[in-house]
Amino acid sequence: MTKFGVIKERKNPPDRRVVFSPDGLKSVVTKFPQASFIVEPSSVRVFNDSEYEKAGFAVSDDLSDCDVLLGVKEVPITALLPNKKYFFFSHTIKKQTYNRDLLNAILKNNIELYDHEVIVGQHGFRLIGFGKYAGIVGAYNGFRAWGLKFDTFALPKAETLNDQKALESELSKIKLPNIKIVLTGNGKVGSGAKEILDAMNIKEVSVDEYLNTTFDEPVYVQIDVLDYNKRKDGRTVDKGDFYTNPQEYEGDFMRFAKVSDMYIAGHFFGDGAPFIFTREDAKSKDFKIKLVADVSCDIDGPVATTIRSSTIADPIYGYDPQTETETDVKDPNAIGVMAVDNLPCELPKDASTGFGEMFLEHVIPAFFNDDKDGILERARMTKDGKLTERYSYLQDYLEGKE
């Protein structure tokens, strides 16, 4: 038997997501009868305590008997239970200084930490995450921002709606002008954004059509890294070459910026890759983009208009390309920016359900098959009060040397 505890989220601002919905837990115990669960009570969680009880699961403040504790965001140091296995997003793998004390406390308490972000397959690709829901909400928020900037329509905040279907229902009520929308990325984030564009019945066109044709309806193009980057020597190689030798490439996004009205950034940005567009690019009279929905949200990074992250409470700001400063989003010279960095929080029910399905598929089996695929081994950051070998690069960070 393995006893799991579903912990309540204690971080502020409150996060309503959870690793498993009540139905998700029922699916786990159906497939793995040797698994049992206790749910810590929470007044914040999108699924209330009684829903778990009705599904047949104990709700209790006492998780001391659990072997494995499952959460979403960082657990406050004071709430850590010693000698347990924990799963949550620790935000430490990039040496984030604000969580150094947390990682030290995890070691001091002899906790085995498994970070959701490093649950990867044999080839290093992430197996679970909230990326799809970031893309869904990010695209929705982009259209909401368009309506606010140009006073053309009003959409309710995503967080006030129940699920993705409700978002799509609201979007079906608006009428867009004949704009061109460019979407970067075809991973989980890009796929989530594409679901929204397709649900709105916006026509998808090829790169050639997008760049060279005028349409009498809204259209979009989804582009991959070789569409908006090119080798400096002019050669055409495969995508693997771009990931292996990003320094040999330069950005080629301006050809899209010259004809686009709206940009949804759903790409993954790797170390050494060219910026998608720079502040100098945005100053150009050829730069036509009026609204950027930056789901990726790298500050002062590859999307030059993202000079800060925004919040669910205040999701949109204006960027003046000439002064490189923030301004009123309704300023005629401003590029509208939506850069909320915790988008899946606005769709907690769907995000939690989807996350649990991935966790059941990829992680839970490892507890009962001797981790034959190495899922747990790769994700285990700490053991016996020390960093595991895979994460030993964090030692100097832990000691405050960097």
Side-chain angles (χ1 to χ4, degrees):
M1 293 290 293
T2 299
K3 293 185 178 180
F4 295 90
V6 177
I7 61 178
K8 75 176 181 180
E9 298 299 315
R10 292 172 163 86
K11 194 174 179 182
N12 273 316
D15 194 316
R16 304 184 68 209
R17 293 174 296 173
V18 64
V19 173
F20 281 113
S21 67
D23 284 343
L25 289 188
K26 286 167 71 174
S27 295
V28 176
V29 296
T30 298
K31 289 188 176 181
F32 298 97
Q34 59 272 59
S36 64
F37 288 87
I38 296 175
V39 180
E40 190 173 16
S42 170
S43 59
V44 170
R45 191 182 291 132
V46 67
F47 303 100
N48 61 46
D49 297 342
S50 64
E51 290 178 87
Y52 286 96
E53 289 173 327
K54 286 175 184 173
F57 298 97
V59 175
S60 172
D61 287 303
D62 184 6
L63 301 180
S64 60
D65 202 29
C66 294
D67 308 303
V68 183
L69 300 174
L70 308 175
V72 178
K73 289 288 189 71
E74 300 99 313
V75 176
I77 291 171
T78 54
L80 290 170
L81 296 180
N83 308 311
K84 300 294 183 185
K85 295 176 180 177
Y86 271 93
F87 283 77
F88 57 84
F89 288 105
S90 71
H91 298 118
T92 57
I93 63 170
K94 296 178 182 176
K95 304 182 181 180
Q96 292 95 321
T97 54
Y98 57 88
N99 279 332
R100 182 189 286 123
D101 289 346
L102 172 61
L103 190 52
N104 271 305
I106 285 166
L107 294 173
K108 185 178 178 182
N109 283 283
N110 191 35
I111 287 167
E112 280 189 28
L113 172 64
Y114 300 78
D115 192 307
H116 294 309
E117 196 168 351
V118 292
I119 296 173
V120 297
Q122 292 181 352
H123 300 294
F125 294 108
R126 287 181 63 181
L127 297 174
I128 63 172
F130 290 103
K132 172 186 173 181
Y133 302 95
I136 289 167
V137 179
Y140 177 89
N141 282 0
F143 290 111
R144 182 171 181 269
W146 183 281
L148 289 168
K149 176 170 174 56
F150 296 107
D151 287 319
T152 48
F153 50 79
L155 287 166
K157 282 193 171 186
E159 66 173 342
T160 66
L161 302 172
N162 193 49
D163 54 22
Q164 181 180 346
K165 287 183 179 178
L167 268 63
E168 293 172 358
S169 174
E170 292 295 333
L171 289 168
S172 71
K173 302 172 187 174
I174 67 172
K175 181 169 176 55
L176 291 174
N178 298 339
I179 60 175
K180 285 186 171 181
I181 303 160
V182 58
L183 165 64
T184 49
N186 57 8
K188 289 184 173 66
V189 175
S191 298
K194 187 180 191 303
E195 283 190 24
I196 291 297
L197 295 168
D198 291 341
M200 296 173 70
N201 294 313
I202 298 173
K203 182 178 181 179
E204 182 177 11
V205 298
S206 70
V207 169
D208 184 64
E209 289 174 308
Y210 188 87
L211 294 176
N212 299 304
T213 306
T214 300
F215 295 89
D216 58 4
E217 62 181 314
V219 299
Y220 83 91
V221 67
Q222 184 177 25
I223 56 176
D224 204 356
V225 289
L226 294 186
D227 295 313
Y228 58 91
N229 294 287
K230 59 184 178 182
R231 277 191 67 100
K232 295 173 184 176
D233 62 11
R235 290 194 297 136
T236 301
V237 196
D238 59 17
K239 191 158 58 170
D241 179 65
F242 172 79
Y243 291 124
T244 306
N245 305 298
Q247 72 282 356
E248 300 299 326
Y249 286 75
E250 61 187 1
D252 196 23
F253 183 76
M254 274 300 289
R255 63 188 186 136
F256 294 95
K258 288 176 181 178
V259 298
S260 297
D261 302 286
M262 180 175 174
Y263 169 35
I264 303 174
H267 57 273
F268 169 78
F269 182 71
D271 291 340
F275 279 7
I276 292 175
F277 67 85
T278 66
R279 294 188 180 191
E280 288 307 309
D281 290 333
K283 285 184 168 76
S284 168
K285 63 179 181 3
D286 291 331
F287 191 91
K288 302 299 184 188
I289 295 171
K290 305 173 188 71
L291 195 289
V292 176
D294 188 358
V295 185
S296 59
C297 196
D298 294 309
I299 312 304
D300 288 325
V303 179
T305 45
T306 303
I307 53 177
R308 68 171 176 86
S309 58
S310 54
T311 63
I312 292 172
D314 191 13
I316 307 156
Y317 59 89
Y319 173 80
D320 185 325
Q322 302 309 319
T323 62
E324 302 180 10
T325 58
E326 185 173 334
T327 187
D328 189 318
V329 71
K330 293 190 178 183
D331 185 316
N333 297 316
I335 298 169
V337 178
M338 188 294 303
V340 175
D341 61 4
N342 58 342
L343 289 161
C345 295
E346 294 196 73
L347 206 62
K349 186 175 287 186
D350 285 3
S352 298
T353 299
F355 191 89
E357 289 169 355
M358 289 181 275
F359 204 89
L360 171 55
E361 178 183 356
H362 297 294
V363 184
I364 294 294
F367 286 96
F368 306 105
N369 66 12
D370 293 324
D371 193 27
K372 66 181 180 68
D373 298 314
I375 300 294
L376 300 179
E377 185 63 32
R378 285 189 291 272
R380 184 193 287 119
M381 293 181 62
T382 61
K383 186 178 182 181
D384 299 327
K386 298 176 183 176
L387 292 167
T388 57
E389 184 178 352
R390 191 179 180 95
Y391 301 96
S392 59
Y393 72 91
L394 294 171
Q395 189 62 45
D396 284 350
Y397 151 74
L398 268 179
E399 294 173 7
K401 295 177 182 176
E402 58 176 76

PDB file of all heavy atoms in Angstrom, residues 88-105:
ATOM      1  N   PHE A  88       5.616  18.962  -5.678  1.00  0.00           N
ATOM      2  CA  PHE A  88       5.068  20.300  -5.962  1.00  0.00           C
ATOM      3  C   PHE A  88       6.048  21.054  -6.851  1.00  0.00           C
ATOM      4  O   PHE A  88       7.174  20.603  -7.073  1.00  0.00           O
ATOM      5  CB  PHE A  88       4.743  21.083  -4.675  1.00  0.00           C
ATOM      6  CG  PHE A  88       5.884  21.287  -3.709  1.00  0.00           C
ATOM      7  CD1 PHE A  88       6.782  22.330  -3.862  1.00  0.00           C
ATOM      8  CD2 PHE A  88       6.032  20.454  -2.603  1.00  0.00           C
ATOM      9  CE1 PHE A  88       7.816  22.544  -2.958  1.00  0.00           C
ATOM     10  CE2 PHE A  88       7.060  20.650  -1.684  1.00  0.00           C
ATOM     11  CZ  PHE A  88       7.962  21.694  -1.870  1.00  0.00           C
ATOM     12  N   PHE A  89       5.602  22.171  -7.380  1.00  0.00           N
ATOM     13  CA  PHE A  89       6.494  23.049  -8.141  1.00  0.00           C
ATOM     14  C   PHE A  89       7.326  23.837  -7.137  1.00  0.00           C
ATOM     15  O   PHE A  89       6.821  24.749  -6.482  1.00  0.00           O
ATOM     16  CB  PHE A  89       5.695  24.010  -9.027  1.00  0.00           C
ATOM     17  CG  PHE A  89       5.044  23.361 -10.223  1.00  0.00           C
ATOM     18  CD1 PHE A  89       3.677  23.118 -10.237  1.00  0.00           C
ATOM     19  CD2 PHE A  89       5.791  23.018 -11.342  1.00  0.00           C
ATOM     20  CE1 PHE A  89       3.065  22.533 -11.337  1.00  0.00           C
ATOM     21  CE2 PHE A  89       5.185  22.428 -12.452  1.00  0.00           C
ATOM     22  CZ  PHE A  89       3.825  22.187 -12.445  1.00  0.00           C
ATOM     23  N   SER A  90       8.608  23.503  -7.018  1.00  0.00           N
ATOM     24  CA  SER A  90       9.439  24.136  -5.986  1.00  0.00           C
ATOM     25  C   SER A  90      10.070  25.441  -6.464  1.00  0.00           C
ATOM     26  O   SER A  90      10.513  26.255  -5.650  1.00  0.00           O
ATOM     27  CB  SER A  90      10.553  23.186  -5.549  1.00  0.00           C
ATOM     28  OG  SER A  90      11.533  23.029  -6.558  1.00  0.00           O
ATOM     29  N   HIS A  91      10.111  25.655  -7.773  1.00  0.00           N
ATOM     30  CA  HIS A  91      10.758  26.850  -8.337  1.00  0.00           C
ATOM     31  C   HIS A  91      12.145  27.064  -7.736  1.00  0.00           C
ATOM     32  O   HIS A  91      12.454  28.116  -7.196  1.00  0.00           O
ATOM     33  CB  HIS A  91       9.864  28.087  -8.142  1.00  0.00           C
ATOM     34  CG  HIS A  91       8.554  27.971  -8.853  1.00  0.00           C
ATOM     35  ND1 HIS A  91       7.342  27.975  -8.209  1.00  0.00           N
ATOM     36  CD2 HIS A  91       8.266  27.797 -10.168  1.00  0.00           C
ATOM     37  CE1 HIS A  91       6.361  27.821  -9.083  1.00  0.00           C
ATOM     38  NE2 HIS A  91       6.891  27.703 -10.273  1.00  0.00           N
ATOM     39  N   THR A  92      12.939  26.011  -7.836  1.00  0.00           N
ATOM     40  CA  THR A  92      14.329  26.077  -7.375  1.00  0.00           C
ATOM     41  C   THR A  92      15.318  25.621  -8.443  1.00  0.00           C
ATOM     42  O   THR A  92      16.511  25.905  -8.319  1.00  0.00           O
ATOM     43  CB  THR A  92      14.546  25.186  -6.127  1.00  0.00           C
ATOM     44  OG1 THR A  92      14.160  23.842  -6.437  1.00  0.00           O
ATOM     45  CG2 THR A  92      13.732  25.687  -4.940  1.00  0.00           C
ATOM     46  N   ILE A  93      14.862  24.936  -9.483  1.00  0.00           N
ATOM     47  CA  ILE A  93      15.802  24.313 -10.420  1.00  0.00           C
ATOM     48  C   ILE A  93      16.582  25.343 -11.233  1.00  0.00           C
ATOM     49  O   ILE A  93      17.635  25.034 -11.784  1.00  0.00           O
ATOM     50  CB  ILE A  93      15.099  23.310 -11.361  1.00  0.00           C
ATOM     51  CG1 ILE A  93      14.074  24.006 -12.257  1.00  0.00           C
ATOM     52  CG2 ILE A  93      14.472  22.181 -10.577  1.00  0.00           C
ATOM     53  CD1 ILE A  93      13.542  23.109 -13.356  1.00  0.00           C
ATOM     54  N   LYS A  94      16.079  26.574 -11.307  1.00  0.00           N
ATOM     55  CA  LYS A  94      16.814  27.650 -11.986  1.00  0.00           C
ATOM     56  C   LYS A  94      17.524  28.548 -10.966  1.00  0.00           C
ATOM     57  O   LYS A  94      17.868  29.686 -11.256  1.00  0.00           O
ATOM     58  CB  LYS A  94      15.860  28.478 -12.855  1.00  0.00           C
ATOM     59  CG  LYS A  94      15.243  27.683 -13.994  1.00  0.00           C
ATOM     60  CD  LYS A  94      14.269  28.536 -14.785  1.00  0.00           C
ATOM     61  CE  LYS A  94      13.607  27.709 -15.905  1.00  0.00           C
ATOM     62  NZ  LYS A  94      12.573  28.497 -16.630  1.00  0.00           N
ATOM     63  N   LYS A  95      17.717  28.021  -9.762  1.00  0.00           N
ATOM     64  CA  LYS A  95      18.433  28.723  -8.680  1.00  0.00           C
ATOM     65  C   LYS A  95      17.724  30.016  -8.270  1.00  0.00           C
ATOM     66  O   LYS A  95      18.353  31.043  -8.036  1.00  0.00           O
ATOM     67  CB  LYS A  95      19.884  29.018  -9.104  1.00  0.00           C
ATOM     68  CG  LYS A  95      20.660  27.778  -9.518  1.00  0.00           C
ATOM     69  CD  LYS A  95      22.101  28.094  -9.895  1.00  0.00           C
ATOM     70  CE  LYS A  95      22.844  26.832 -10.316  1.00  0.00           C
ATOM     71  NZ  LYS A  95      24.250  27.103 -10.694  1.00  0.00           N
ATOM     72  N   GLN A  96      16.386  29.919  -8.173  1.00  0.00           N
ATOM     73  CA  GLN A  96      15.621  31.097  -7.758  1.00  0.00           C
ATOM     74  C   GLN A  96      15.954  31.433  -6.302  1.00  0.00           C
ATOM     75  O   GLN A  96      15.718  30.631  -5.395  1.00  0.00           O
ATOM     76  CB  GLN A  96      14.115  30.830  -7.913  1.00  0.00           C
ATOM     77  CG  GLN A  96      13.654  30.698  -9.360  1.00  0.00           C
ATOM     78  CD  GLN A  96      13.575  29.273  -9.877  1.00  0.00           C
ATOM     79  OE1 GLN A  96      14.440  28.454  -9.564  1.00  0.00           O
ATOM     80  NE2 GLN A  96      12.560  28.967 -10.671  1.00  0.00           N
ATOM     81  N   THR A  97      16.481  32.623  -6.102  1.00  0.00           N
ATOM     82  CA  THR A  97      16.960  32.998  -4.763  1.00  0.00           C
ATOM     83  C   THR A  97      15.843  33.020  -3.736  1.00  0.00           C
ATOM     84  O   THR A  97      16.071  32.718  -2.558  1.00  0.00           O
ATOM     85  CB  THR A  97      17.635  34.383  -4.808  1.00  0.00           C
ATOM     86  OG1 THR A  97      16.731  35.327  -5.401  1.00  0.00           O
ATOM     87  CG2 THR A  97      18.915  34.336  -5.626  1.00  0.00           C
ATOM     88  N   TYR A  98      14.628  33.355  -4.168  1.00  0.00           N
ATOM     89  CA  TYR A  98      13.533  33.488  -3.205  1.00  0.00           C
ATOM     90  C   TYR A  98      13.102  32.155  -2.609  1.00  0.00           C
ATOM     91  O   TYR A  98      12.346  32.125  -1.633  1.00  0.00           O
ATOM     92  CB  TYR A  98      12.331  34.219  -3.832  1.00  0.00           C
ATOM     93  CG  TYR A  98      11.759  33.587  -5.088  1.00  0.00           C
ATOM     94  CD1 TYR A  98      10.768  32.612  -5.022  1.00  0.00           C
ATOM     95  CD2 TYR A  98      12.211  33.972  -6.345  1.00  0.00           C
ATOM     96  CE1 TYR A  98      10.240  32.036  -6.172  1.00  0.00           C
ATOM     97  CE2 TYR A  98      11.688  33.403  -7.503  1.00  0.00           C
ATOM     98  CZ  TYR A  98      10.704  32.440  -7.410  1.00  0.00           C
ATOM     99  OH  TYR A  98      10.187  31.872  -8.561  1.00  0.00           O
ATOM    100  N   ASN A  99      13.567  31.036  -3.175  1.00  0.00           N
ATOM    101  CA  ASN A  99      13.212  29.727  -2.621  1.00  0.00           C
ATOM    102  C   ASN A  99      14.422  28.942  -2.102  1.00  0.00           C
ATOM    103  O   ASN A  99      14.311  27.751  -1.818  1.00  0.00           O
ATOM    104  CB  ASN A  99      12.464  28.884  -3.660  1.00  0.00           C
ATOM    105  CG  ASN A  99      10.991  29.258  -3.739  1.00  0.00           C
ATOM    106  OD1 ASN A  99      10.418  29.723  -2.762  1.00  0.00           O
ATOM    107  ND2 ASN A  99      10.386  29.068  -4.899  1.00  0.00           N
ATOM    108  N   ARG A 100      15.550  29.641  -1.938  1.00  0.00           N
ATOM    109  CA  ARG A 100      16.738  28.965  -1.411  1.00  0.00           C
ATOM    110  C   ARG A 100      16.478  28.408  -0.007  1.00  0.00           C
ATOM    111  O   ARG A 100      16.839  27.273   0.321  1.00  0.00           O
ATOM    112  CB  ARG A 100      17.925  29.919  -1.382  1.00  0.00           C
ATOM    113  CG  ARG A 100      19.211  29.252  -0.875  1.00  0.00           C
ATOM    114  CD  ARG A 100      20.325  30.260  -0.655  1.00  0.00           C
ATOM    115  NE  ARG A 100      20.885  30.705  -1.919  1.00  0.00           N
ATOM    116  CZ  ARG A 100      20.936  31.987  -2.305  1.00  0.00           C
ATOM    117  NH1 ARG A 100      20.439  32.935  -1.537  1.00  0.00           N
ATOM    118  NH2 ARG A 100      21.496  32.312  -3.449  1.00  0.00           N
ATOM    119  N   ASP A 101      15.841  29.213   0.839  1.00  0.00           N
ATOM    120  CA  ASP A 101      15.567  28.774   2.213  1.00  0.00           C
ATOM    121  C   ASP A 101      14.636  27.559   2.230  1.00  0.00           C
ATOM    122  O   ASP A 101      14.773  26.676   3.080  1.00  0.00           O
ATOM    123  CB  ASP A 101      14.952  29.909   3.029  1.00  0.00           C
ATOM    124  CG  ASP A 101      15.946  31.010   3.332  1.00  0.00           C
ATOM    125  OD1 ASP A 101      17.165  30.784   3.151  1.00  0.00           O
ATOM    126  OD2 ASP A 101      15.512  32.102   3.746  1.00  0.00           O
ATOM    127  N   LEU A 102      13.696  27.527   1.288  1.00  0.00           N
ATOM    128  CA  LEU A 102      12.771  26.395   1.208  1.00  0.00           C
ATOM    129  C   LEU A 102      13.530  25.109   0.892  1.00  0.00           C
ATOM    130  O   LEU A 102      13.312  24.074   1.546  1.00  0.00           O
ATOM    131  CB  LEU A 102      11.710  26.656   0.141  1.00  0.00           C
ATOM    132  CG  LEU A 102      10.780  25.480  -0.210  1.00  0.00           C
ATOM    133  CD1 LEU A 102       9.987  25.030   1.013  1.00  0.00           C
ATOM    134  CD2 LEU A 102       9.845  25.848  -1.355  1.00  0.00           C
ATOM    135  N   LEU A 103      14.429  25.166  -0.079  1.00  0.00           N
ATOM    136  CA  LEU A 103      15.173  23.960  -0.443  1.00  0.00           C
ATOM    137  C   LEU A 103      16.081  23.503   0.703  1.00  0.00           C
ATOM    138  O   LEU A 103      16.214  22.304   0.976  1.00  0.00           O
ATOM    139  CB  LEU A 103      15.978  24.199  -1.721  1.00  0.00           C
ATOM    140  CG  LEU A 103      16.613  22.968  -2.371  1.00  0.00           C
ATOM    141  CD1 LEU A 103      15.602  21.853  -2.592  1.00  0.00           C
ATOM    142  CD2 LEU A 103      17.270  23.340  -3.701  1.00  0.00           C
ATOM    143  N   ASN A 104      16.679  24.456   1.397  1.00  0.00           N
ATOM    144  CA  ASN A 104      17.490  24.101   2.564  1.00  0.00           C
ATOM    145  C   ASN A 104      16.642  23.443   3.650  1.00  0.00           C
ATOM    146  O   ASN A 104      17.063  22.468   4.287  1.00  0.00           O
ATOM    147  CB  ASN A 104      18.188  25.342   3.120  1.00  0.00           C
ATOM    148  CG  ASN A 104      19.545  25.589   2.459  1.00  0.00           C
ATOM    149  OD1 ASN A 104      20.400  24.718   2.446  1.00  0.00           O
ATOM    150  ND2 ASN A 104      19.732  26.785   1.912  1.00  0.00           N
ATOM    151  N   ALA A 105      15.413  23.944   3.844  1.00  0.00           N
ATOM    152  CA  ALA A 105      14.517  23.371   4.853  1.00  0.00           C
ATOM    153  C   ALA A 105      14.089  21.958   4.465  1.00  0.00           C
ATOM    154  O   ALA A 105      13.929  21.083   5.331  1.00  0.00           O
ATOM    155  CB  ALA A 105      13.293  24.263   5.033  1.00  0.00           C
TER     156      ALA A 105
END
